[in-house]
Amino acid sequence: MSNVSAVLKLLLLSAVLVSAQGWNNYWSLPDSYRRHIDKALHDANRQFGGPYHVAYESILKFKDDSYVNVRLMVTTCRKDEQKGFGHRDECVTQKSKTPWINCVVCKPKNGEELIDCVRQKDVKSRKDIRKKCSGYLHGSPALLFQIGEDDEPQVGCPGCV
């Protein structure tokens, strides 16, 4: 019973440490992550948002600095060539009725950098492209993320969303 208690304490401590990191605060991120996020921002600003600036929202997944998956958003700020496509502190409000943007920046097995940005709802259609990443982190069934037969979270599932 004490082993289970120790494991639960470690999981709780890990969750607290990760939440304290503030992964949704661009400036609290390590430089290596920000370099990748800036590449994603540049790519997403070319593809999405029309005249509106696309900004960093949060990190979804990461593996050292070889794989970074971020969520970006179209903001209410206008694009400004003088300020560039990088992070802008004043642009933190998502423009209404705009989709989340999901970007992966990674090093595929061939060594070339891959930057892939799509609307969040289109991520599944990019699985084959994103699998090329050497640090590709795909979802897999786990105890905390079990789904019922009808794709509804099971009752009592602590990690279900």
Side-chain angles (χ1 to χ4, degrees):
M1 194 64 156
S2 64
N3 285 343
V4 172
S5 178
V7 170
L8 288 174
K9 287 178 184 176
L10 282 173
L11 284 172
L12 181 60
L13 178 61
S14 298
V16 168
L17 289 175
V18 168
S19 66
Q21 293 271 334
W23 295 120
N24 60 348
N25 180 343
Y26 177 85
W27 295 111
S28 71
L29 300 172
D31 288 341
S32 60
Y33 291 6
R34 287 198 312 251
R35 279 194 299 275
H36 292 308
I37 291 167
D38 288 343
K39 292 173 187 176
L41 285 169
H42 185 74
D43 192 68
N45 269 293
R46 285 195 335 243
Q47 292 183 58
F48 301 99
Y52 294 95
H53 180 70
V54 174
Y56 170 77
E57 198 277 328
S58 63
I59 287 186
L60 301 173
K61 297 177 186 176
F62 58 90
K63 180 183 177 189
D64 49 63
D65 68 338
S66 65
Y67 181 95
V68 177
N69 182 203
V70 296
R71 180 167 46 206
L72 307 177
M73 64 181 172
V74 177
T75 68
T76 56
C77 296
R78 301 293 253 175
K79 287 183 180 171
D80 184 345
E81 287 189 27
Q82 306 295 83
K83 295 181 180 178
F85 291 141
H87 177 74
R88 291 170 49 191
D89 287 333
E90 74 274 15
C91 299
V92 295
T93 304
Q94 183 177 14
K95 185 169 176 9
S96 65
K97 299 180 182 177
T98 59
W100 292 112
I101 300 165
N102 183 304
C103 293
V104 166
V105 180
C106 68
K107 294 277 188 196
K109 294 172 182 139
N110 66 9
E112 293 179 22
E113 188 168 64
L114 172 71
I115 302 171
D116 185 55
C117 294
V118 296
R119 292 177 303 171
Q120 183 65 45
K121 69 179 189 173
D122 297 329
V123 167
K124 285 183 182 179
S125 70
R126 307 296 286 182
K127 188 165 65 170
D128 289 339
I129 290 170
R130 293 178 176 205
K131 272 195 219 177
K132 294 176 185 176
C133 297
S134 59
Y136 179 66
L137 302 171
H138 55 82
S140 61
L143 178 61
L144 294 178
F145 297 103
Q146 293 298 313
I147 302 292
E149 297 279 330
D150 56 359
D151 288 337
E152 290 297 318
Q154 293 180 2
V155 174
C157 179
C160 294
V161 182

